């Protein structure tokens, strides 16, 4: 299992280095000066290119208050500034409403479309309609299996099954025997794939625990009740960074000794890794997903470029532990990791 875990870390590091290079170009001035230049450019609203001011729309399955999507948006908006793009963002965690938002983008005759496919059945008709209308589509975050089938240029994100498998292997290395996989959004195929992947590689017992992700007090109460009634649970895996802190609170109230681990990263997760209230996090680099989605649409409009060769462009998984937290802290504070 140690070999598999190392492979995940190496893959994550290579992806971060190769894909992340597009964020700073070929500058020899160093990371800080490149970042200062990027901030100055963004503050001035100046584009780095002279291509037409195309309009790209991003429509996601985000619910309210999900910090993950704030990071995706930040990457997309900064790439849009660089690429002289008029960027439109909308969201709904209801599949039919998300489809309606995509239809609204089609009606506006946008020049490019970025969508998530967390609930692919609800999105199929409208995404194929956009493609038929000549609007190039890039899918991000969820729906890698359906992306090509629906006619998208490429998919940007992590393979959810592989990410889940990495979690199972990490839990094995930590000697865990019984784990909860906390699913906070009913019907999200990516979440189901994460838990199934983790279960497939975990040598112990893993149970799915469904919670209402729109109601944090309910999330805490449900996790707390499970930990109180089953003291053999020694690991809790949440599927989003905002839920990790809630799981930590539930653990404390329940008097449990279970380790709390999570998918995704934000400032609170990094703080939790540093103070040992969290064991590890699985980073899929949401800033990169948003940034590359806009950049790839711009490249397609400008030069008919397509990345991936028919395969997803992977931005994760990367296992983040306490030893990684310090170097990522500044990035999480500025909202890019």
């Amino acid at each position: 299992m140690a070999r598999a875990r190392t492979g995940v870390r190496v893959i994550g590091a290579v992806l971060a280095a190769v894909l992340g290079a597009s964020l700073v170009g070929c500058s020899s001035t160093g990371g800080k000066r490149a970042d200062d230049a990027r901030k100055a450019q963004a503050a001035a609203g100046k584009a780095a290119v002279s291509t037409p001011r195309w309009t790209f729309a991003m429509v996601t399955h985000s619910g309210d208050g999900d910090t993950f999507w704030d990071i995706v948006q930040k990457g997309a908006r900064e790439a849009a500034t660089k690429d002289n793009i008029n960027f439109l963002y909308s969201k709904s965690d209801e599949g039919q409403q998300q489809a309606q938002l995509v239809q609204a983008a089609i009606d506006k005759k946008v020049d490019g479309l970025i969508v998530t496919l967390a609930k692919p059945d609800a999105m199929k008709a409208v995404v194929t309609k956009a493609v038929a209308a000549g609007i190039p589509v890039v899918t991000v975050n969820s729906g890698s299996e359906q992306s090509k089938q629906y006619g998208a240029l490429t998919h940007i994100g992590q393979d959810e099954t592989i990410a889940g498998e990495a979690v199972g292997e990490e839990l094995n290395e930590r000697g865990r025997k019984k784990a909860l996989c906390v699913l906070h959004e009913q019907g999200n195929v990516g979440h189901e794939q994460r838990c199934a992947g983790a279960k497939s590689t975990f040598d112990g017992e893993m149970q799915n625990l469904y919670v209402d992700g729109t109601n944090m007090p309910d999330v805490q109460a449900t996790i707390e009740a499970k930990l109180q009634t089953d003291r053999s649970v020694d690991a809790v895996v949440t599927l989003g960074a905002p839920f990790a802190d809630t799981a930590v609170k539930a653990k404390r109230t329940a008097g449990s000794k279970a380790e709390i681990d999570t998918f995704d990263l934000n400032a609170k997760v990094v703080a939790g890794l540093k103070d040992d209230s969290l064991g590890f996090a699985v980073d899929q680099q949401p800033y990169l997903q948003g940034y590359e989605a806009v950049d790839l649409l711009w490249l397609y409009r400008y030069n008919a470029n397509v990345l991936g060769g028919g395969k997803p462009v992977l931005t994760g998984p990367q296992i983040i532990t306490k030893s990684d937290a310090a170097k990522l802290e500044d990035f999480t504070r500025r909202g890019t990791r």
Side-chain angles (χ1 to χ4, degrees), residues 164-175:
E165 290 170 351
V167 167
E169 292 163 357
E170 185 73 17
L171 291 173
N172 290 335
E173 292 212 4
R174 291 167 176 266

Side-chain angles (χ1 to χ4, degrees), residues 21 69 84 125 130 141 155 162 180 222 276 307 335:
W69 293 102
N84 193 32
N141 181 259
H155 178 82
I162 292 174
L180 299 178
T222 303
D276 294 318
L307 284 183

Side-chain angles (χ1 to χ4, degrees), residues 35-255:
D35 186 47
D36 289 345
R38 175 191 59 77
K39 288 179 180 178
Q41 182 188 68
K46 294 181 179 179
V49 298
S50 58
T51 47
R53 188 161 175 76
W54 294 310
T55 295
F56 295 167
M58 174 183 278
V59 185
T60 75
H61 65 276
S62 170
D64 293 333
D66 192 333
T67 56
F68 177 92
W69 293 102
D70 294 339
I71 302 172
V72 174
Q73 278 194 75
K74 189 174 184 68
R77 292 186 186 282
E78 292 190 357
T81 297
K82 174 181 69 70
D83 293 338
N84 193 32
I85 299 300
N86 177 35
F87 179 74
L88 308 176
Y89 180 80
S90 58
K91 62 180 177 61
S92 175
D93 56 3
E94 296 292 335
Q96 292 301 325
Q97 291 181 16
Q98 186 189 4
Q100 291 171 9
L101 293 171
V102 173
Q103 180 61 56
I106 295 173
D107 294 341
K108 291 177 182 177
K109 298 182 179 179
V110 296
D111 301 296
L113 184 61
I114 303 162
V115 299
T116 61
L117 300 177
K119 295 165 184 174
D121 291 343
M123 296 292 290
K124 181 177 181 180
V126 74
V127 172
T128 55
K129 184 176 181 179
V131 173
I135 300 173
V137 176
V138 169
T139 61
V140 297
N141 181 259
S142 54
S144 61
E145 295 180 359
Q146 294 82 13
S147 178
K148 187 175 182 180
Q149 176 188 344
Y150 292 3
L153 298 175
T154 193
H155 178 82
I156 304 171
Q158 70 180 3
D159 184 297
E160 302 290 21
T161 299
I162 292 174
E165 290 170 351
V167 167
E169 292 163 357
E170 185 73 17
L171 291 173
N172 290 335
E173 292 212 4
R174 291 167 176 266
R176 302 300 161 181
K177 302 300 180 183
K178 189 170 186 178
L180 299 178
C181 193
V182 183
L183 297 95
H184 62 266
E185 185 180 337
Q186 294 280 354
N188 187 319
V189 294
H191 289 183
E192 297 287 349
Q193 289 168 345
R194 289 180 186 181
C195 291
K199 189 173 184 177
S200 71
T201 56
F202 183 42
D203 294 337
E205 178 186 350
M206 178 165 288
Q207 298 178 357
N208 287 357
L209 182 66
Y210 293 90
V211 298
D212 179 2
T214 64
N215 185 341
M216 279 299 188
D218 177 73
V219 173
Q220 181 173 337
T222 303
I223 297 173
E224 180 183 325
K226 184 64 177 178
L227 293 177
Q228 285 177 334
T229 57
D230 189 349
R231 295 292 179 179
S232 64
V233 173
D234 58 7
V236 177
V237 180
T238 63
L239 301 187
F243 303 94
D245 186 55
T246 301
V248 169
K249 294 175 183 176
K251 166 188 171 177
R252 289 172 181 163
T253 306

Side-chain angles (χ1 to χ4, degrees), residues 229-294:
T229 57
D230 189 349
R231 295 292 179 179
S232 64
V233 173
D234 58 7
V236 177
V237 180
T238 63
L239 301 187
F243 303 94
D245 186 55
T246 301
V248 169
K249 294 175 183 176
K251 166 188 171 177
R252 289 172 181 163
T253 306
S256 170
K257 295 182 180 180
E259 177 181 279
I260 309 299
D261 306 303
T262 191
F263 281 80
D264 302 334
L265 202 66
N266 64 15
K268 280 191 174 181
V269 169
V270 167
L273 293 172
K274 289 183 69 177
D275 67 18
D276 294 318
S277 60
L278 296 177
F280 67 89
V282 184
D283 187 23
Q284 59 175 308
Q285 302 185 101
Y287 178 93
L288 199 56
Q289 291 179 14
Y291 192 100
E292 290 299 323
V294 170

